[in-house]
Amino acid sequence: MSDTRERLPRHVAIIMDGNGRWAKAHALQVAQGHRRGTETLRAIIRESSDIGIEALTLFAFSTENWKRSAAEVGALMNLLLEYFTSEIDELDEKNVCIRILGDKNGLPGPQRQAVIQAEKRTEANTGLKLNIAINYGGRDEILMAAKKLAEKVERGEMRAEEITAGDFEAELYTQGLPDVDLLIRTSGELRQSNFLLYQCAYAEMLFPTVLWPDFSLDDYHAALDAYARRDRRFGGRTS
Ligand code: IPE
Ligand code: IPE
Ligand code: MG
């Protein structure tokens, strides 16, 4: 579509789902599904940077994913470390600015160090804002913001009745980022699973049935085209 570029979402968020089903369908271990999933992630990040998306937020590991077997959690943590070690040079060269959304203190030491280093190394970069949600939960995030504001009130730094949406947003992991314009969840599941609950208030949502390891650049462009055709009203009227 010719006007897709003009109607590019500023902020795309993706729930990368379906690695387990992909592995099962190919008679592979679940870890292999996650590994293939990181290849899709590489391609989508590169494409987002190339076409000029302002912010891309990827759901990599939820606060609920710790419930999975130790073997699967271990495989995911290993992939995380591998990813940050192998990709950081290219991401930095591409001027990508990395931010981790979620509780980094809950991560194992090496993973915590790697993500903190990636954030530090790319903090001055002015290209794609790449946010990776790891040990992230939307309810946790909202609760954390509420507590931080309550502490400020307690310390006498602000008055409760003066708290604005801006004050609240400044306490979220996503501070300074635009609201999510487009939320994509692969694998056909029709739920948000505790992802960016506050930030998706007016997001357009798409639920392609393709499993994350099979999600192609064509699928991504189809999603961006579908977004460009959506009529966003934000409660008002456009006609
Ligand atoms: C998404 O794939 C990746 C993570 C949750 C880390 P899943 O592992 O949830 O894949 P399915 O839903 O079992 O197919
Ligand atoms: C959401 O997917 C989390 C990530 C993609 C990281 P899940 O597969 O964990 O979500 P549910 O359990 O199907 O809701
Ligand atoms: Mg899943």
Side-chain angles (χ1 to χ4, degrees), residues 56-111:
L56 174 69
T57 302
L58 301 170
F59 204 3
F61 194 88
S62 75
T63 45
E64 288 75 32
N65 286 148
W66 297 107
K67 291 178 195 162
R68 298 189 181 192
S69 73
E72 184 173 355
V73 170
L76 282 164
M77 289 298 145
N78 286 341
L79 272 177
L80 196 75
L81 197 56
E82 212 180 290
Y83 176 79
F84 277 97
T85 314
S86 66
E87 297 299 301
I88 188 68
D89 287 342
E90 185 188 332
L91 292 171
D92 194 22
E93 263 162 41
K94 277 190 165 294
N95 199 22
V96 171
C97 177
I98 299 172
R99 188 192 300 194
I100 304 304
L101 313 185
D103 182 8
K104 289 187 280 243
N105 291 325
L107 295 176
Q111 281 75 6

Side-chain angles (χ1 to χ4, degrees), residues 147-161 163:
K147 283 182 187 163
K148 285 199 177 146
L149 288 178
E151 284 163 10
K152 283 188 180 171
V153 171
E154 229 168 46
R155 290 197 298 265
E157 293 168 20
M158 65 199 314
R159 287 156 51 85
E161 58 270 33
I163 295 172

Side-chain angles (χ1 to χ4, degrees), residues 33-45:
H34 292 312
R35 182 170 288 283
R36 281 297 294 260
T38 61
E39 286 172 27
T40 305
L41 171 141
R42 266 189 202 102
I44 295 300
I45 292 172

Side-chain angles (χ1 to χ4, degrees), residues 36 47 67 74 77 108 110 125 156 164 166-167 176 185 212 224 232:
R36 281 297 294 260
E47 185 69 2
K67 291 178 195 162
M77 289 298 145
N125 288 353
T164 63
D167 293 328
R185 181 178 190 145
W212 178 249
L224 295 173
R232 304 186 78 191

Side-chain angles (χ1 to χ4, degrees), residues 114-125:
V115 298
I116 290 172
Q117 261 176 28
E119 282 185 324
K120 275 224 180 83
R121 178 162 161 191
T122 63
E123 71 186 349
N125 288 353

Side-chain angles (χ1 to χ4, degrees), residues 180-201:
V180 174
D181 296 303
L182 171 61
L183 174 70
I184 301 169
R185 181 178 190 145
T186 56
S187 87
E189 303 292 357
L190 304 177
R191 56 179 171 268
Q192 212 173 323
S193 299
N194 203 15
F195 190 42
L196 301 174
L197 297 179
Y198 184 95
Q199 298 85 344
C200 283

